[in-house]
């Protein structure tokens, strides 16, 4: 089998590809742009990708492709119907980054909630050493205990975040954008109720027609003024321009983002103008990227390919 890995660097160069290389004749591309896909996959039988578009335009001359493997859980970069019409199976990986993303969700929350940038700079600037009292708390913060933590997307990550929030003493509620959630551990509420009751709102849903721009200005205006929004899902779930307005005009207290509408974030994105880390922290889509998760990403992809070679379906999303 001819295996083409289009975005090898997306899992980090410190993670070995040797296990995948043993399954066929492997070509590894450090990175691939949309314009390069067609040429690079023309002889491929198995494609391993992450974010580049895989659709009729990029796959039309790739006559031998039988399997597409995602280095991710999300697969919105793949035209599933087109692949199905061609008999191309598409496999993702699941639950490989749950612990990492849940951990980062709270890292983002606490950074904004407890004004950690402010207090770190206060100490390192010498201001703390120069004062005559033992403490300083000029930027007040609250506890999670007794608050309401709202969740959009109650899959593996959402459930993990719910458990952690409960451990901190939060009431957990959730909204199902698809309407198909089977979760019974937590109270399911309407979207308006979620917005109005959540002190903390974290997003863990896939990007779809139902979730694109879900968090827009209308939604943000319904949230509590002291609320903190955390997006570790997909950038376009939140309207960046509307979030900028909400943060600068005080509709919500703060936000922690691991994703934005485009990646990398463009200079033209108004969120790049918010320098106040008490209001906003943005990380470069790394919530999933612990050492352990990146290695699991590759090993799970390897298992998907092994299953395919045995004639078995594993994590196929377009049956």
């Amino acid at each position: 089998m001819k295996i083409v890995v289009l975005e090898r660097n997306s899992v980090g160069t410190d993670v070995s590809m040797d296990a995948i290389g043993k399954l066929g004749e492997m070509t590894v591309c450090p990175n691939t742009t949309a314009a390069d896909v067609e040429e690079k996959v023309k002889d491929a039988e198995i494609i391993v990708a992450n974010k580049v578009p895989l659709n009729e335009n990029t796959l039309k001359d790739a006559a031998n492709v039988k399997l597409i493997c995602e280095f991710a859980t999300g697969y919105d970069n793949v035209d599933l119907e087109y692949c199905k019409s061609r008999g191309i199976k598409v496999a993702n990986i699941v639950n490989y980054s749950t612990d990492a993303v849940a951990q980062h969700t709270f890292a983002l929350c606490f950074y904004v909630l407890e004004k950690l940038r402010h207090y770190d700079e206060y100490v390192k600037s010498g201001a703390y050493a120069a004062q005559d009292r033992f403490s300083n708390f000029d930027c007040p913060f609250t506890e999670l205990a007794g608050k309401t933590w709202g969740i959009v997307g109650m899959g593996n990550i959402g459930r993990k975040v719910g458990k952690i929030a409960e451990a901190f003493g939060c009431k957990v509620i959730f909204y199902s954008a698809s309407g198909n959630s089977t979760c019974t551990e937590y109270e399911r509420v309407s979207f308006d109720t979620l917005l109005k009751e959540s002190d903390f709102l974290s997003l863990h849903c896939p990007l779809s027609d139902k979730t694109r721009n879900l968090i827009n200005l209308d939604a943000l205006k319904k949230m509590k003024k002291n609320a903190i929004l955390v997006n570790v899902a997909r950038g376009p779930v939140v309207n960046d321009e509307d979030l900028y307005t909400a943060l600068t005009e005080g509709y919500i207290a703060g936000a922690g983002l691991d994703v934005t509408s485009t990646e990398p974030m463009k200079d033209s994105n108004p969120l790049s103008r918010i320098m106040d880390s008490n209001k906003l922290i943005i990380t470069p889509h790394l919530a999933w990227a612990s050492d352990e998760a990146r290695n699991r990403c590759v090993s799970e992809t390897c298992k998907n390919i092994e299953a395919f070679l045995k004639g078995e379906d594993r994590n196929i999303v377009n049956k």
Side-chain angles (χ1 to χ4, degrees):
M1 282 284 175
K2 292 185 177 181
I3 303 170
V4 177
V5 180
L6 290 175
E7 298 162 277
R8 186 261 182 276
N9 289 1
S10 68
V11 294
T13 55
D14 56 327
V15 175
S16 173
M17 293 283 138
D18 291 350
I20 294 177
K22 293 176 181 178
L23 301 177
E25 179 186 334
M26 183 173 67
T27 300
V28 174
C29 309
N31 192 35
T32 299
T33 65
D36 298 331
V37 175
E38 188 176 359
E39 175 63 26
K40 290 182 178 180
V41 302
K42 64 182 182 181
D43 296 322
E45 294 172 273
I46 297 174
I47 297 171
V48 180
N50 192 320
K51 294 291 183 289
V52 291
L54 295 169
N55 50 40
E56 185 172 5
N57 288 336
T58 56
L59 297 174
K60 62 180 184 294
D61 294 325
N64 300 321
V65 175
K66 301 176 179 65
L67 175 69
I68 292 172
C69 288
E70 291 275 25
F71 266 160
T73 300
Y75 44 84
D76 47 277
N77 61 310
V78 182
D79 186 334
L80 297 184
E81 289 303 315
Y82 172 73
C83 288
K84 189 173 182 178
S85 72
R86 286 266 313 269
I88 301 170
K89 294 184 177 182
V90 180
N92 71 342
I93 50 176
V94 295
N95 210 24
Y96 75 101
S97 63
T98 297
D99 290 337
V101 177
Q103 176 176 300
H104 197 68
T105 297
F106 287 91
L108 292 173
C109 175
F110 289 137
Y111 187 89
V112 175
L113 174 65
E114 297 200 3
K115 314 296 190 291
L116 296 180
R117 171 77 176 270
H118 168 78
Y119 287 117
D120 181 56
E121 290 180 347
Y122 182 83
V123 173
K124 292 176 179 175
S125 70
Y128 181 45
Q131 71 180 37
D132 58 4
R133 61 192 188 280
F134 79 95
S135 184
N136 178 61
F137 37 87
D138 57 337
C139 288
F141 60 92
T142 64
E143 299 174 352
L144 266 67
K147 306 301 190 301
T148 297
W149 190 289
I151 294 173
V152 179
M154 195 54 85
N156 291 325
I157 295 172
R159 282 179 165 87
K160 183 78 174 186
V161 168
K163 289 180 181 178
I164 296 170
E166 276 191 317
F168 277 111
C170 289
K171 173 187 177 181
V172 176
I173 60 176
F174 79 99
Y175 166 70
S176 172
S178 69
N180 299 323
S181 177
T182 59
C183 178
T184 57
E185 299 100 300
Y186 306 109
E187 180 184 359
R188 180 171 166 177
V189 298
S190 69
F191 187 48
D192 275 0
T193 299
L194 183 88
L195 296 171
K196 292 174 183 177
E197 293 189 2
S198 296
D199 298 289
F200 308 95
L201 176 57
S202 60
L203 309 177
H204 310 287
C205 53
L207 180 63
S208 69
D209 291 340
K210 293 181 179 179
T211 60
R212 189 179 299 275
N213 284 319
L214 181 69
I215 306 299
N216 55 23
L217 191 58
D218 181 59
L220 290 158
K221 285 182 175 180
K222 293 176 181 177
M223 293 177 67
K224 296 181 179 181
K225 290 188 179 299
N226 64 346
I228 293 176
L229 173 72
V230 177
N231 186 11
V232 289
R234 287 289 185 266
V237 174
V238 176
N239 184 297
D240 287 349
E241 290 75 15
D242 290 354
L243 179 58
Y244 173 82
T245 300
L247 290 171
T248 55
E249 296 190 11
Y251 294 129
I252 64 172
L257 309 177
D258 186 52
V259 288
T260 53
S261 56
T262 59
E263 296 172 350
M265 186 173 78
K266 295 180 179 178
D267 291 338
S268 59
N269 190 319
L271 293 174
S272 66
R273 300 199 295 270
I274 299 179
M275 296 292 109
D276 183 358
S277 294
N278 290 336
K279 282 186 175 295
L280 176 67
I281 177 176
I282 306 175
T283 52
H285 202 149
L286 55 73
W288 65 278
S290 66
D291 290 348
E292 296 89 344
R294 290 185 294 112
N295 277 283
R296 282 194 295 267
C297 178
V298 174
S299 65
E300 286 297 302
T301 299
C302 187
K303 291 175 184 177
N304 286 342
I305 296 173
E306 288 175 331
F308 173 77
L309 295 177
K310 294 176 182 177
E312 302 169 359
D313 286 345
R314 185 177 192 271
N315 295 330
I316 301 300
V317 298
N318 66 335
K319 292 182 180 179

